[in-house]
Amino acid sequence: MNVRTLGLAMLAGLTLTACGESEKNDEPAHDYNAEIRWTSYGIPHIIADDIPSAAFGQGYAFAKLNGCILADQVVKLRGERAAYFGPGDDDANVDSDFVHRSLEFMEKGQDAWDAQPENIKGLVQGYVDGYNAYLAADGASLPCGAEPWLQPITTQDLMAHYVEIATLAGVRQLHPFIARAQPPGSELAPSSAPTPDFHEPGIGSNGWGIGAERSATGRGMVFANPHFPWEGELKLYESQLTVPGEMNVYGASLMGVAGVLIGFNEAVGWTHTVSAGQRMTMYVLDLDPSDPTRYAYDGQMRDMTSKDITIDVTENGQTTQRSRTMWFSKWGPILSIGDLGGWNTDFTLTVRDANELNATLIAQFHDMNRADSMDAFQQAHADNQGIPWVNTMSASADGTAWYADTTPTPNLSQAAIDAWLDPEAAGTDPTIAFAINGVKTIGAVALDGSTSANEWVVAEGARDPGLVPFSEVPQLERRDFIYNANDSHWLTNPDAPLTGYSPMHGFEETARTPRTRMNATLLTEVSEDGASGADGLFTFEELQGAVLSNRGMVAELLRDDVVARCEANPMYGEADLSSACAALAGWNLRLDLDAPGALMWREFLGDFSSDGIMSEGPTLWANDFDVADPVGTPNTLSEAPEDPAEDRILEALAGAIVRLQQANLTPSSTLREAQYTIRAGNRIPIHGGGRREGTTNLIQYSTLKSTMEPNLPRPEEINPPTDLTPEGYVVNYGTSFIMTLEYTDEGPHAQAFLTYGQSDDPANPWHTDQTQLFSDKAWRDILFTEDAILADPNLEIEEVVGDRGGAMEENASDTDG
């Protein structure tokens, strides 16, 4: 064990004795005093006598691990990217600054801070002061340490960060189309960004809560598997926060977030998956033909409002200023999405986000972190209603499992819902109906903005006016299990479907994705070879075996039939399919590193649309989705046509062989050869599969981040649906923090991976160590008890002390709380 005490120049007050123990000197006591116990893999276990001190330790530890990421986000939120980094490609930094200035994230951050109760102000202030203390510490080392934008932050900065995080599943994905929304005839070109697809927003997860009836211990179990980026501000980091007698929680949090977002304490464990519900509504504005900045509302014309924004732009060593007028309706910012008609003389779009000012996010998780029972955990949701865009799956030590989608959801009248789902039948003006239907194609909600009938309905008990109150959101408590894999609430437990909720929470009685069906299969199959064995009671080892089994739902349903079709027709025109037939016939149906045939199957499925794989026959499936058998359907391979030349199955096999050849792969090549990530220059093979394959272990490539660091490079894709490139499959997204938890008579027992490691610094060994563990499926123990922490062979103890608001003089309002 290595015991170290860090003396901070600005925070002196502890001295070291010869044996390494700390003692107080005669100087006044500090506001913060925390002990950080660093264990293997860079996990900080923070213990303190009070919550603000624990938050101080967490902020300090986070800055040491990932401080540059939060600093980058603060530059973005302040609208200063173009000043520090130049205009960016296609003026990306300029657009970012105009959006963040016009949406007033900093002002909303201050409003959110002012709305916090005193205990949350103490927590947030402590985290800010801890972060700043590390930046000021002797020997502080960060990859961005010499950059002028690495500066102390304020509580306003951090609350602005939380406000923007809350908009991730809504307005944040529309920023490019807000930035360049200008009236028809403007010289500013519309955004060239890809039109967002809210059917597949790029964020996902699996989560299980197993109750006493399905657990070998008779207590609760949790499987946490968020699918998130491996780069940027949406990464997770692990920590433990202990305040004896008040809180003892372990888990993972997004960059810069105080507290634990996914994790457990002695009483309850929980995880999250991105909700299929709607966090926003767009409105189609019926414009004045003579003035496109005026729109109809209840029979009268209204003027849009505008904000004139000026930013600094540094280019070639010179700083100049640029100005832009940003436009708003009564609901929110104006959008100009070219694929949906843009801002034309007839109509344009505007948007209202349910998370525009989510001021209870931190209080929500703080109450969850301290919950001493499932009742208290549920009450945290009822009291705060601050979960921004995720379902909650949980299980308690006494064996109760609970699901809820408490995300902020627009509360629409039935008439407004009907007009969204079928605007023509509702008598909507044809031009407006055309725009509404266009928005539906990207998985979002649009309403006719010319009538107050489509306003959000105010209901008693809602967090904010116009949201669905906690009493009306989908939730289910069970003693067997609950789960979610990003489909709606409907099949939270197949034996107890949740029905009768607003479609704003997600659709019911519709086809589920292959990944949802795989999750349900793993949970419901009871057999000698099933995930939970012949007794149907999950042991800890069985839970881990299930979640990293790398089974694929579509392969289990179709592989044998595809092989039979292939062997009956080994030629497709001049294409020899025999190598594909052999590879698939010998495949063990696992997306493991050394399973020949897995890549052949992936590229075969890559010939079909996502919708086709999910539900539509007869191209792929003989039996389409059946609401009476949602886990088992669709199933069975489609019938072969009389002419093999017209067989889509054979055509897809032939195409898959060609695509693999273009990447210098064969039908028998393995994931170990072809699927990998790069960490600190090291190529590490990664198991798992994509959305089409229907595996719990989702692995892919994505660019869902806003940090200035470049994306992990990869060549241009050969096949975008499967992410195949000439160099194979490059991974920078998917399974991130994966945790299995069981409650025992001795307390919680858990193991985990953080697939990209704790540190963002490539020079830090904690940047790569867990990636290799994940590649090897070598689970690591989560150290939760004092005995386990103190017994870690790599333990280092760091004592940090500090005073409140030491680097915060410029934020006068932060002196209270």
Side-chain angles (χ1 to χ4, degrees):
M1 181 175 71
N2 186 4
V3 181
R4 296 181 294 122
T5 296
L6 180 65
L8 307 180
M10 58 180 274
L11 309 171
L14 283 175
T15 59
L16 271 180
T17 65
C19 63
E21 298 295 331
S22 61
E23 63 180 12
K24 295 282 186 180
N25 61 21
D26 294 330
E27 295 198 18
H30 294 285
D31 294 325
Y32 307 115
N33 194 326
E35 184 177 270
I36 306 174
R37 287 85 61 82
W38 294 95
T39 59
S40 299
Y41 307 106
I43 313 297
H45 306 258
I46 298 107
I47 189 168
D49 291 334
D50 55 77
I51 296 292
S53 290
F56 178 87
Q58 188 185 28
Y60 182 97
F62 167 76
K64 187 173 186 175
L65 293 167
N66 297 293
C68 295
I69 291 178
L70 182 57
D72 170 286
Q73 292 300 285
V74 169
V75 172
K76 178 188 73 175
L77 292 161
R78 291 176 176 175
E80 297 175 348
R81 281 231 161 125
Y84 282 107
F85 303 112
D89 294 340
D90 195 26
D91 275 355
N93 295 336
V94 171
D95 289 346
S96 173
D97 288 349
F98 280 125
V99 166
H100 286 88
R101 294 278 186 94
S102 68
L103 296 183
E104 298 181 343
F105 281 105
M106 294 305 299
E107 291 83 351
K108 291 173 184 174
Q110 188 61 51
D111 290 343
W113 168 258
D114 293 340
Q116 300 308 305
E118 292 303 306
N119 67 322
I120 301 302
K121 283 188 174 181
L123 183 151
V124 173
Q125 182 76 66
Y127 194 94
V128 166
D129 290 342
Y131 177 92
N132 292 337
Y134 179 74
L135 266 57
D138 293 337
S141 176
L142 288 172
C144 63
E147 299 293 342
W149 46 268
L150 180 64
Q151 299 176 2
I153 64 171
T154 68
T155 56
Q156 182 183 21
D157 293 327
L158 195 58
M159 292 305 295
H161 179 52
Y162 299 156
V163 169
E164 193 195 36
I165 285 174
T167 69
L168 177 64
V171 163
R172 178 169 152 172
Q173 298 193 49
L174 299 172
H175 281 185
F177 310 101
I178 296 170
R180 297 196 176 200
Q182 296 294 303
S186 169
E187 294 182 359
L188 183 66
S191 173
S192 60
T195 301
D197 183 358
F198 292 95
H199 294 106
E200 294 186 2
I203 41 182
S205 304
N206 311 301
W208 301 358
I210 296 175
E213 295 176 1
R214 294 295 307 280
S215 164
T217 65
R219 295 181 176 275
M221 306 178 82
V222 172
F223 161 44
N225 183 204
H227 300 150
F228 261 56
W230 292 17
E231 303 174 296
E233 75 277 16
L234 297 177
K235 293 199 309 176
L236 297 157
Y237 72 102
E238 293 178 66
S239 63
Q240 181 177 5
L241 301 172
T242 303
V243 178
E246 188 168 358
M247 179 175 71
N248 186 18
V249 62
Y250 184 104
S253 306
L254 291 172
M255 298 285 102
V257 174
V260 166
L261 302 186
I262 294 174
F264 65 93
N265 58 31
E266 290 96 337
V268 186
W270 70 94
T271 188
H272 300 292
T273 60
V274 174
S275 167
Q278 301 286 343
R279 308 282 75 81
M280 64 182 179
T281 59
M282 297 185 196
Y283 287 91
V284 183
L285 301 183
D286 185 8
L287 301 178
D288 184 340
S290 64
D291 184 351
T293 65
R294 304 181 75 225
Y295 60 95
Y297 184 77
D298 280 352
Q300 297 182 337
M301 284 293 171
R302 289 193 171 199
D303 291 328
M304 294 180 185
T305 58
S306 63
K307 301 175 185 177
D308 294 326
I309 308 293
T310 299
I311 64 169
D312 290 337
V313 181
T314 300
E315 194 169 12
N316 300 321
Q318 301 295 317
T319 299
T320 58
Q321 291 188 323
R322 293 199 206 178
S323 298
R324 188 177 296 177
T325 300
M326 308 295 288
W327 295 92
F328 295 80
S329 72
K330 69 184 294 293
W331 291 287
I334 302 297
L335 308 173
S336 181
I337 305 176
D339 288 347
L340 301 181
W343 185 348
N344 57 61
T345 56
D346 294 322
F347 68 84
T348 194
L349 299 173
T350 188
V351 62
R352 180 182 180 186
D353 194 314
N355 279 304
E356 179 183 6
L357 182 57
N358 182 341
T360 60
L361 185 151
I362 298 301
Q364 167 82 54
F365 285 100
H366 185 54
D367 286 352
M368 290 163 59
N369 290 177
R370 297 179 300 147
D372 60 4
S373 66
M374 180 59 80
D375 286 344
F377 186 80
Q378 293 173 353
Q379 194 62 45
H381 288 73
D383 290 345
N384 295 286
Q385 300 177 56
I387 298 287
W389 29 260
V390 288
N391 305 290
T392 300
M393 283 66 56
S394 58
S396 60
D398 65 4
T400 298
W402 182 64
Y403 160 89
D405 182 358
T406 64
T407 48
T409 303
N411 191 23
L412 299 184
S413 68
Q414 188 59 52
I417 291 171
D418 292 342
W420 155 45
L421 296 176
D422 193 346
E424 291 86 358
T428 305
D429 175 86
T431 300
I432 303 301
F434 170 81
I436 290 173
N437 289 328
V439 172
K440 285 163 62 176
T441 65
I442 66 169
V445 175
L447 303 168
D448 181 356
S450 68
T451 171
S452 58
N454 292 327
E455 294 282 6
W456 298 2
V457 177
V458 176
E460 184 177 355
R463 186 197 73 197
D464 294 323
L467 301 183
V468 175
F470 175 79
S471 61
E472 298 179 18
V473 302
Q475 50 185 302
L476 181 66
E477 184 176 300
R478 301 279 296 184
R479 297 288 286 180
D480 52 358
F481 71 86
I482 49 85
Y483 83 104
N484 185 267
N486 304 122
D487 274 314
S488 78
H489 54 273
W490 177 45
L491 285 189
T492 294
N493 184 301
D495 289 337
L498 292 172
T499 60
Y501 294 93
S502 166
M504 294 296 288
H505 295 294
F507 292 106
E508 300 164 0
E509 300 185 343
T510 57
R512 307 288 94 172
T513 65
R515 180 161 54 87
T516 289
R517 296 172 65 194
M518 189 74 258
N519 276 261
T521 297
L522 291 166
L523 282 161
T524 56
E525 62 183 6
V526 177
S527 67
E528 192 67 38
D529 297 328
S532 57
D535 62 2
L537 302 177
F538 279 100
T539 65
F540 190 70
E541 293 73 23
E542 285 173 335
L543 181 63
Q544 292 188 330
V547 301
L548 281 187
S549 64
N550 285 326
R551 291 167 59 181
M553 188 69 198
V554 182
E556 293 188 4
L557 290 168
L558 293 181
R559 189 279 305 267
D560 289 351
D561 289 344
V562 170
V563 169
R565 181 83 58 86
C566 184
E567 290 177 341
N569 299 275
M571 298 296 295
Y572 178 72
E574 296 183 0
D576 184 351
L577 305 183
S578 57
S579 61
C581 302
L584 292 178
W587 180 36
N588 66 0
L589 300 182
R590 304 299 176 105
L591 294 157
D592 286 332
L593 290 179
D594 300 309
L599 298 185
M600 181 64 215
W601 185 256
R602 175 179 299 173
E603 289 306 315
F604 164 72
L605 291 182
D607 229 54
F608 299 91
S609 70
S610 293
D611 287 342
I613 291 173
M614 186 165 159
S615 64
E616 294 177 359
T619 302
L620 187 61
W621 303 103
N623 301 321
D624 208 345
F625 168 72
D626 181 353
V627 69
D629 185 14
V631 177
T633 58
N635 61 37
T636 311
L637 189 65
S638 60
E639 292 186 11
E642 292 185 6
D643 183 357
E646 297 178 358
D647 193 334
R648 275 288 289 123
I649 303 303
L650 302 179
E651 179 186 24
L653 290 169
I657 294 172
V658 171
R659 290 190 292 273
L660 289 170
Q661 289 173 341
Q662 290 174 326
N664 295 314
L665 299 169
T666 72
S668 295
S669 294
T670 64
L671 290 172
R672 185 179 298 279
E673 300 171 65
Q675 184 166 276
Y676 61 93
T677 192
I678 302 294
R679 303 293 291 171
N682 299 310
R683 175 173 167 146
I684 301 175
I686 303 295
H687 49 84
R691 298 180 189 277
R692 284 170 167 75
E693 289 143 292
T695 183
T696 56
N697 184 19
L698 181 66
I699 293 295
Q700 63 182 69
Y701 188 91
S702 177
T703 55
L704 184 64
K705 72 179 187 65
S706 66
T707 49
M708 292 299 298
E709 63 173 335
N711 298 319
L712 180 65
R714 68 167 181 171
E716 186 174 349
E717 297 157 302
I718 293 171
N719 190 19
T722 64
D723 290 332
L724 178 64
T725 77
E727 296 178 7
Y729 304 89
V730 183
V731 174
N732 73 344
Y733 171 96
T735 290
S736 51
F737 175 62
I738 180 169
M739 178 187 76
T740 52
L741 163 72
E742 66 171 346
Y743 284 99
T744 72
D745 292 344
E746 289 73 40
H749 165 230
Q751 293 186 326
F753 304 103
L754 188 66
T755 53
Y756 37 72
Q758 281 280 84
S759 173
D760 198 53
D761 183 356
N764 190 315
W766 299 333
H767 182 76
T768 59
D769 51 359
Q770 293 195 64
T771 312
Q772 189 61 57
L773 285 185
F774 176 66
S775 177
D776 297 336
K777 295 188 184 180
W779 293 84
R780 64 167 179 80
D781 287 328
I782 287 178
L783 308 182
F784 186 71
T785 66
E786 284 297 294
D787 287 346
I789 293 167
L790 296 178
D792 183 76
N794 298 307
L795 177 68
E796 293 190 3
I797 297 178
E798 197 168 17
E799 294 180 350
V800 290
V801 297
D803 293 319
R804 184 177 176 81
M808 308 290 291
E809 292 86 349
E810 72 275 17
N811 194 356
S813 65
D814 291 343
T815 58
D816 295 330

